[in-house]
């Protein structure tokens, strides 16, 4: 796209959804480092998300995680979001933190445990209804640790049965987003290990079921942009969980480890219509900020996604197509690299100025005093984390 006003319009309309858990305390299995000013409840998490939106202008949606964000009164939480200029995004189910799920949730050999897991997913659909959330996001920790531990294809049957029951409950405007992950916490088999498994289940379920690509959930060296292109072509890319990783599912800031990979992904998104409203791709972040301040880290992640998107939008698609058709390998690669090597920060600063925002959201947030304010105000109570 070479028309700058069209590039700016596309950047203004992109929505990036931030995760409620990104504002809470998190860590590794070795240590969770508490931070001052961390939210004590979902209402305060939304207040932090509102800061990110206030400075970036493109983050009006927040994913909730149940039960971490369980509240008595969902309409009140939804109104609180609206008062802050936000809306509730995906409802993330959690069938991985209950003793009963040690051997699996919807794929567990015991039908009673499967019932409990499926009921949780149905509860999440109820919460979607109460909050106006359009997306049910499913990730299963299910799998096995040892050869022979359970019947691999039998577990697929159980998974399909649970998914079909939940799919049936969805309304016309609700979607099921199925996330895959190569490994962890199961280490021998994982029941939804890859995009192919997620795609096959979604295809069988119907048009309201789509795949989530979490950028941290692949083997090293996997060509994620190929997966993105394939799923978009099939109308089955529902959402991203953006983050970056060095080794495994590190959940670091999107675009931090490999901005070139993020650019290549966004190129396939742009090329295959994934930025268009009708395609309805949900650009979510799935990150935890263990050692860095959380609100500025989410701001940085949002701007990293915007930078990758801007570069992808700046690719001279006509020159690229011409070089590709003539089989000019070096010229085609050169067109892509020219866009990647463009400094898009001034363009994004203009976009923000046109939206009435500060040119540099990261600096503006740090200068606002909010970080110090929440540290002083949020004293007492229990800080939110993975279990709350
Ligand atoms: C699993 O690793 C995952 O990526 C899923 O999206 C979860 O819901 C999320 O992390 C939070 O733990
Ligand atoms: Mn994820």
């Amino acid at each position: 796209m070479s028309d700058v006003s069209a590039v700016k319009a596309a950047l203004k309309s992109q929505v990036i959804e931030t995760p409620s858990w990104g504002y809470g305390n998190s860590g590794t299995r070795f240590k969770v480092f508490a931070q001052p000013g961390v939210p004590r409840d979902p209402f305060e998490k939304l207040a932090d998300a509102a800061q990110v939106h206030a400075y970036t202008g493109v983050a009006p949606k927040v994913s909730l995680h149940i039960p971490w964000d369980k509240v008595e009164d969902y309409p009140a939480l939804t109104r609180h979001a609206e008062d802050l200029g936000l809306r509730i995004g995906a409802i993330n189910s959690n069938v991985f933190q209950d003793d009963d799920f040690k051997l699996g949730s919807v794929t567990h050999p015991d039908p009673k445990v499967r019932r409990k897991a499926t009921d949780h997913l149905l509860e999440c659909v109820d919460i979607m209804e109460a909050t106006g959330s359009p997306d049910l996001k499913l990730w299963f920790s299910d799998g096995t640790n040892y050869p022979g531990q359970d019947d691999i294809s039998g577990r697929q049957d159980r998974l399909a049965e649970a998914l079909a029951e939940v799919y049936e409950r969805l309304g016309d405007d609700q979607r099921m987003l199925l996330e895959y992950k190569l490994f962890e916490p199961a280490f021998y088999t994982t029941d939804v290990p890859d995009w192919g498994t997620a795609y096959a289940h979604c295809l069988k379920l119907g048009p309201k079921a789509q795949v989530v690509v979490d950028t941290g959930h692949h083997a090293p060296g996997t060509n994620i942009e190929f997966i993105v292109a394939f799923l978009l072509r099939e109308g089955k890319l529902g959402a991203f969980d953006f983050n970056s990783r060095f080794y495994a599912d590190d959940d670091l800031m999107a675009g931090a480890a490999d901005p070139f990979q993020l650019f290549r992904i966004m190129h396939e998104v742009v090329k295959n219509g994934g930025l268009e409203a009708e395609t309805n791709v949900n650009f979510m972040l799935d990150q935890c900020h263990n050692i860095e301040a959380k609100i500025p880290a989410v701001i940085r992640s949002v701007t990293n996604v915007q930078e990758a998107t801007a570069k992808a939008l700046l690719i001279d698609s006509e020159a690229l197509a011409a070089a590709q058709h003539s089989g000019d390998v070096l010229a085609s690669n050169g067109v892509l690299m020219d866009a990647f090597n463009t400094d898009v920060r001034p363009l994004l600063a203009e976009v923000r100025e046109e939206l009435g925002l500060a040119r540099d959201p990261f600096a503006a947030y740090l200068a606002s005093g909010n970080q110090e304010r929440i540290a002083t105000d949020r004293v007492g109570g229990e800080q939110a984390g993975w279990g709350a």
Side-chain angles (χ1 to χ4, degrees):
M1 202 184 273
S2 41
D3 173 4
V4 175
S5 58
V7 170
K8 284 182 173 175
L11 290 167
K12 284 175 193 168
S13 62
Q14 186 182 26
V15 168
I16 298 164
E17 182 168 318
T18 75
S20 68
W21 54 99
Y23 304 103
N25 280 330
S26 57
T28 65
R29 67 184 196 280
F30 299 100
K31 170 75 179 158
V32 172
F33 296 103
Q35 292 188 18
V38 159
R40 278 87 47 92
D41 57 39
F43 290 83
E44 289 183 347
K45 290 181 194 173
L46 288 175
D48 288 3
Q51 290 288 317
V52 174
H53 182 45
Y55 288 93
T56 62
V58 295
K61 289 170 71 196
V62 185
S63 308
L64 300 184
H65 213 293
I66 306 299
W68 300 342
D69 295 318
K70 216 166 179 158
V71 291
E72 287 290 307
D73 187 346
Y74 287 102
L77 188 68
T78 310
R79 278 195 304 278
H80 179 65
E82 285 162 5
D83 291 345
L84 292 164
L86 302 173
R87 52 190 195 276
I88 304 298
I91 302 297
N92 289 250
S93 59
N94 181 327
V95 281
F96 50 90
Q97 282 186 313
D98 187 303
D99 284 341
D100 285 343
F101 300 144
K102 185 168 78 173
L103 300 181
S105 64
V106 293
T107 66
H108 196 287
D110 181 345
K112 284 198 295 299
V113 177
R114 298 208 292 276
R115 186 68 258 151
K116 175 173 171 168
T118 308
D119 283 345
H120 169 73
L121 307 185
L122 295 172
E123 180 197 354
C124 288
V125 179
D126 291 340
I127 295 170
M128 290 169 76
E129 270 149 29
T131 56
S133 158
D135 292 329
L136 173 66
K137 182 155 149 263
L138 306 179
W139 172 71
F140 299 103
S141 59
D142 298 41
T144 63
N145 269 8
Y146 294 100
Q149 181 187 321
D150 199 5
D151 174 350
I152 293 175
S153 55
R155 291 176 77 92
Q156 288 299 312
D157 295 340
R158 299 169 206 153
L159 171 68
E161 194 183 26
L163 292 177
E165 184 180 339
V166 177
Y167 188 87
E168 278 310 305
R169 270 287 306 278
L170 295 176
D172 291 343
D173 298 327
Q174 294 176 328
R175 274 195 301 188
M176 173 187 281
L177 301 175
L178 181 58
E179 180 173 356
Y180 58 90
K181 182 173 174 179
L182 179 66
F183 80 113
E184 191 199 41
F187 292 108
Y188 171 61
T189 58
T190 293
D191 291 320
V192 190
D194 52 27
W195 70 269
T197 310
Y199 173 73
H201 280 283
C202 288
L203 203 59
K204 225 173 221 163
L205 288 163
K208 288 183 285 183
Q210 291 181 306
V211 179
V212 180
V213 174
D214 183 312
T215 47
H217 288 185
H218 307 86
T222 300
N223 187 324
I224 300 174
E225 56 270 31
F226 172 83
I227 299 169
V228 169
F230 183 93
L231 290 175
L232 274 169
R233 187 171 175 276
E234 298 297 330
K236 281 293 184 194
L237 180 67
F240 284 101
D241 263 4
F242 282 128
N243 48 48
S244 71
R245 50 162 274 171
F246 289 94
Y247 304 108
D249 189 22
D250 315 337
D251 286 339
L252 304 177
M253 293 186 296
D258 189 348
F260 186 45
Q261 181 190 60
L262 190 53
F263 161 77
R264 299 191 312 263
I265 290 171
M266 290 312 303
H267 167 49
E268 294 306 330
V269 167
V270 170
K271 160 79 198 1
N272 295 290
L275 273 192
E276 282 148 35
E278 314 80 74
T279 315
N280 202 13
V281 175
N282 192 354
F283 298 95
M284 304 184 287
L285 304 177
D286 177 10
Q287 306 180 162
C288 290
H289 306 291
N290 302 346
I291 57 167
E292 68 275 24
K294 294 158 199 298
I295 299 172
V298 182
I299 292 175
R300 174 67 58 78
S301 308
V302 169
T303 59
N304 284 351
V305 174
Q306 286 186 298
E307 285 173 20
T309 306
K311 290 176 185 209
L313 286 164
L314 285 175
I315 291 172
D316 184 340
S317 48
E318 278 172 27
L320 182 61
Q324 288 174 344
H325 288 143
S326 64
D328 192 335
V329 176
L330 293 176
S332 352
N333 177 244
V335 173
L336 232 66
M337 295 314 294
D338 281 346
F340 177 66
N341 287 317
T342 308
D343 183 358
V344 292
R345 289 172 298 181
L347 172 73
L348 279 161
E350 267 179 48
V351 165
R352 291 184 193 113
E353 211 158 51
E354 288 169 20
L355 289 172
L357 302 170
R359 290 172 67 86
D360 179 347
F362 187 81
Y365 172 74
L366 289 183
S368 74
N370 185 68
Q371 204 61 26
E372 295 75 17
R373 217 162 21 244
I374 55 176
T376 320
D377 291 354
R378 293 177 181 167
V379 175
E382 203 180 322
Q383 293 190 321
W386 286 336

